[in-house]
Amino acid sequence: MPFFLADLGFPVWLRATHWINVLFMGFMIRSGIQILASYPRLHWGKTARPGLEWLKFTRRKFRTDEYYITLEEEENASPVIAQPGGNSLGLGRHWHFFGAMFWLLNGLVYVVLLCVTGQYLRLVPSNWQIFPNAWQQMVQYMTFHPPMKSLYLGPYDPLQQLAYFAVVFLLAPFQIATAAAQSPAVEARFPWYVNLWGGRQSARSLHFLGLVAFIGFIIVHTGFVFIASDNGLPGLVSNFGDIIFGQHDTLHGPAVAIVLSMIILILAIYAVTSWLSQRFPTEAQKTMSVFIRPWMVLLARRSTSKQEYKPEDISDYFIINGFPPDSPEYLKGLWDGFKDYRLEIGGLVERPVSLTLDEIKAMRKQEQITKHNCIQGWSSIGQWGGVLVSDILDMVKPLPNAKYLVFRSYSKDNAGKEYFETIHIDVARHPQTILAYEMNGQPLPLAHGAPLRLRVEVLLGFKMVKWVRSIELVETYATVRDGLGGSREENKQYEQAVPI
Ligand SMILES: Nc1nc2c(c(=O)[nH]1)N[C@H]1C(S)=C(S)[C@@H](COP(=O)(O)O)O[C@H]1N2
Ligand SMILES: [Mo]
């Protein structure tokens, strides 16, 4: 053992980052469960094929023989285990990304200090002997024998050292990597990266297994913290002393009292923040979005889609979300092949136009086979044919102050108002942003947005308005309806920019 290993102690930064980590890990685990509840099925591969999930947390049957939308899949999560509880996917995601930001920042500080202070020696094995020793120690525990100090290669039990090392240097990076593999923007730009993990659904399943591993670690780790010690003191006294005061020789009572208060405080923070965000959803959404929005915007605008799946990748069942319009005007179009349909394009443009379906079909046509990623977690692959939004923009000539496109639909949103969504003009000009009138070589079916639907291959599904009625160019979406940027932003607290 290097002579100073035993003298490393538990410096104040180590104790502080440890507790900050506890708080933010909790936010992430809780909000992760919330996100899972919105589509409580796990699949392997690129797409979610109904009926072929390997694990599900719902009794509901996924129906493919009738008009079944995935919003019906959402389960209510208990606020005891989920942040903030209920079926608030939008808020769950805000908590997840908000938590992730601080968890990452704290983790970075921790790892850097770990390296520069030599504390890493406590965790990083430097001798293969650790594996046989860990095995022997495991046998000790399994046969209900006390740990053998002679097996230690450093200040920790070899099993403990391996577990800590794995959590910090393998499990945490694994969760970050599988999170990135679920981002449509990352996927659009680097399709090989997602395939490295076996596809979007595999990445989601692996991210879930990472969560299970974290929970398993936390249970065993805290269990041992309460009972195990190798200095004759009760585990709780010795270990609590170390993590609060950096020593276990004195202040035993205060150490125990402080740890228990910290745990109660952290649980109270989860309870209060969950309650507050359920009670004031829009305020919670706006507050957290201050922190996460800059990253979202950067990712959404900078990554352009280069997807091109193969015809054999096309899903034989493409999952549906959103109920179709029921207005007489729309139904008449369905009946007569949309002969009176007009796509209105106006707002901050030099030349507003109103296009018939035939005029749109006469424009340059683009076809693409891409993966659709719903915010709830499922994905399907389809082939789309339509017209580039950038070609339409060139036709109408946006004014210099036009920054956002508002897509309005014939259908209604969850609040019974018109479904609409906004995208930034840079995203609208991406090479795979199209208005599709064909799907898998056929005229766009009713369920998927007939006669025209938006495809934005770097964002999540809800931005891709179906049954499009009009496009308006605006300077800011702050003045459009409630000012949040779309129907789902208003009704379900989703973010305006959703590259992940
Ligand atoms: N008009 C309208 N467009 C919509 C929706 C909706 O409810 N209404 N749902 C959105 C969501 S959440 C998703 S995931 C996709 C689903 O597209 P699909 O049904 O073609 O799979 O459509 C998006 N476009
Ligand atoms: Mo969705």
Side-chain angles (χ1 to χ4, degrees):
M1 187 196 314
F3 70 95
F4 63 98
L5 250 188
D7 310 322
L8 279 172
F10 298 91
V12 68
W13 61 263
L14 192 110
R15 290 175 263 146
T17 51
H18 179 267
W19 284 102
I20 295 169
N21 186 58
V22 172
L23 177 68
F24 285 103
M25 274 302 302
F27 275 132
M28 296 195 36
I29 290 173
R30 290 170 51 76
S31 56
I33 293 171
Q34 181 73 61
I35 293 170
L36 179 64
S38 76
Y39 179 71
R41 301 175 195 269
L42 293 163
H43 303 258
W44 296 114
K46 298 173 183 164
T47 56
R49 282 146 74 216
L52 292 186
E53 59 270 13
W54 66 272
L55 187 62
K56 61 178 184 178
F57 300 93
T58 175
R59 281 204 196 86
R60 219 165 267 137
K61 195 166 154 28
F62 197 108
R63 299 190 302 278
T64 53
D65 53 345
E66 55 183 285
Y67 202 104
Y68 179 69
I69 70 166
T70 37
L71 278 177
E72 297 173 77
E73 282 276 291
E74 289 191 315
E75 290 290 340
N76 278 313
S78 160
V80 174
I81 55 165
Q83 180 93 9
N87 71 348
S88 8
L89 169 62
L91 289 172
R93 281 172 47 92
H94 274 86
W95 279 112
H96 206 64
F97 295 120
F98 176 81
M101 260 187 82
F102 291 97
W103 176 75
L104 279 170
L105 195 69
N106 181 63
L108 205 67
V109 169
Y110 165 77
V111 170
V112 167
L113 287 172
L114 208 60
C115 292
V116 301
T117 58
Q119 285 275 354
Y120 71 93
L121 288 167
R122 216 199 271 277
L123 310 187
V124 183
S126 56
N127 190 331
W128 294 110
Q129 187 58 37
I130 190 153
F131 290 103
N133 286 18
W135 173 253
Q136 260 189 302
Q137 196 74 293
M138 173 94 92
V139 172
Q140 286 288 113
Y141 288 125
M142 302 288 245
T143 52
F144 301 101
H145 287 90
M148 274 197 293
K149 198 104 199 227
S150 59
L151 295 172
Y152 284 36
L153 297 170
Y156 287 143
D157 171 324
L159 261 182
Q160 185 184 16
Q161 183 179 351
L162 278 180
Y164 291 179
F165 173 79
V167 164
V168 175
F169 294 103
L170 301 176
L171 186 54
F174 177 81
Q175 287 303 76
I176 298 166
T178 50
Q182 291 177 78
S183 152
V186 168
E187 160 151 34
R189 182 72 181 69
F190 308 106
W192 58 266
Y193 177 72
V194 180
N195 291 331
L196 198 78
W197 295 98
R200 169 53 153 60
Q201 295 304 317
S202 296
R204 185 170 181 259
S205 289
L206 291 170
H207 199 64
F208 167 79
L209 292 175
L211 164 76
V212 173
F214 259 123
I215 294 176
F217 169 78
I218 291 168
I219 292 172
V220 175
H221 173 60
T222 39
F224 272 104
V225 162
F226 273 87
I227 56 169
S229 119
D230 47 38
N231 50 27
L233 288 168
L236 156 144
V237 166
S238 166
N239 299 319
F240 286 7
D242 284 341
I243 204 61
I244 295 296
F245 297 119
Q247 52 88 9
H248 49 247
D249 298 331
T250 58
L251 299 170
H252 294 160
V256 173
I258 293 173
V259 168
L260 296 181
S261 324
M262 295 275 258
I263 292 170
I264 291 167
L265 176 70
I266 288 171
L267 295 179
I269 291 175
Y270 298 149
V272 171
T273 52
S274 289
W275 180 82
L276 275 175
S277 50
Q278 290 229 30
R279 179 80 181 70
F280 306 102
T282 309
E283 288 75 6
Q285 171 187 19
K286 285 183 178 168
T287 311
M288 286 186 275
S289 114
V290 171
F291 294 90
I292 61 184
R293 195 173 149 79
W295 309 104
M296 295 281 178
V297 166
L298 196 72
L299 193 57
R301 292 193 203 154
R302 287 299 165 81
S303 59
T304 52
S305 180
K306 295 182 175 157
Q307 295 182 71
E308 201 50 65
Y309 284 90
K310 298 194 188 72
E312 56 265 33
D313 292 324
I314 294 174
S315 304
D316 33 65
Y317 180 79
F318 199 110
I319 296 177
I320 305 168
N321 219 354
F323 285 116
D326 57 3
S327 70
E329 186 191 2
Y330 178 80
L331 294 176
K332 181 180 159 297
L334 252 194
W335 187 251
D336 66 14
F338 298 100
K339 72 176 170 51
D340 295 328
Y341 175 82
R342 293 283 182 285
L343 172 68
E344 309 283 345
I345 308 153
L348 299 175
V349 295
E350 269 177 37
R351 224 185 120 237
V353 293
S354 160
L355 302 170
T356 67
L357 214 48
D358 284 338
E359 285 168 333
I360 292 169
K361 288 181 181 166
M363 294 173 69
R364 176 162 66 135
K365 182 180 178 187
Q366 174 162 310
E367 293 199 358
Q368 59 202 37
I369 304 178
T370 53
K371 160 112 53 68
H372 178 102
N373 295 299
C374 174
I375 192 167
Q376 289 179 253
W378 57 268
S379 54
S380 298
I381 296 176
Q383 180 178 24
W384 307 96
V387 29
L388 280 163
V389 175
S390 66
D391 282 352
I392 290 184
L393 289 175
D394 290 342
M395 177 190 278
V396 298
K397 300 197 168 59
L399 297 174
N401 58 339
K403 288 280 161 348
Y404 288 92
L405 280 73
V406 185
F407 291 83
R408 294 192 169 85
S409 171
Y410 284 101
S411 81
K412 298 215 163 58
D413 63 21
N414 302 61
K417 297 183 190 164
E418 176 184 66
Y419 192 100
F420 83 103
E421 284 296 336
T422 60
I423 59 170
H424 191 270
I425 193 161
D426 290 355
V427 178
R429 284 204 177 274
H430 278 186
Q432 283 193 327
T433 302
I434 67 173
L435 277 170
Y437 48 78
E438 270 179 22
M439 178 186 188
N440 300 339
Q442 300 293 316
L444 193 61
L446 165 75
H448 298 287
L452 212 55
R453 68 101 41 92
L454 180 62
R455 296 292 321 161
V456 196
E457 310 298 359
V458 297
L459 300 180
L460 291 172
F462 73 93
K463 301 302 284 189
M464 302 182 217
V465 178
K466 306 196 284 188
W467 313 291
V468 172
R469 171 209 289 276
S470 69
I471 307 174
E472 184 192 358
L473 279 92
V474 294
E475 185 164 2
T476 162
Y477 57 78
T479 47
V480 183
R481 219 159 81 182
D482 294 357
L484 295 172
S487 283
R488 293 284 171 91
E489 288 86 335
E490 293 177 4
N491 308 329
K492 299 187 75 67
Q493 289 79 47
Y494 297 171
E495 305 98 329
Q496 193 274 336
V498 277
I500 183 165

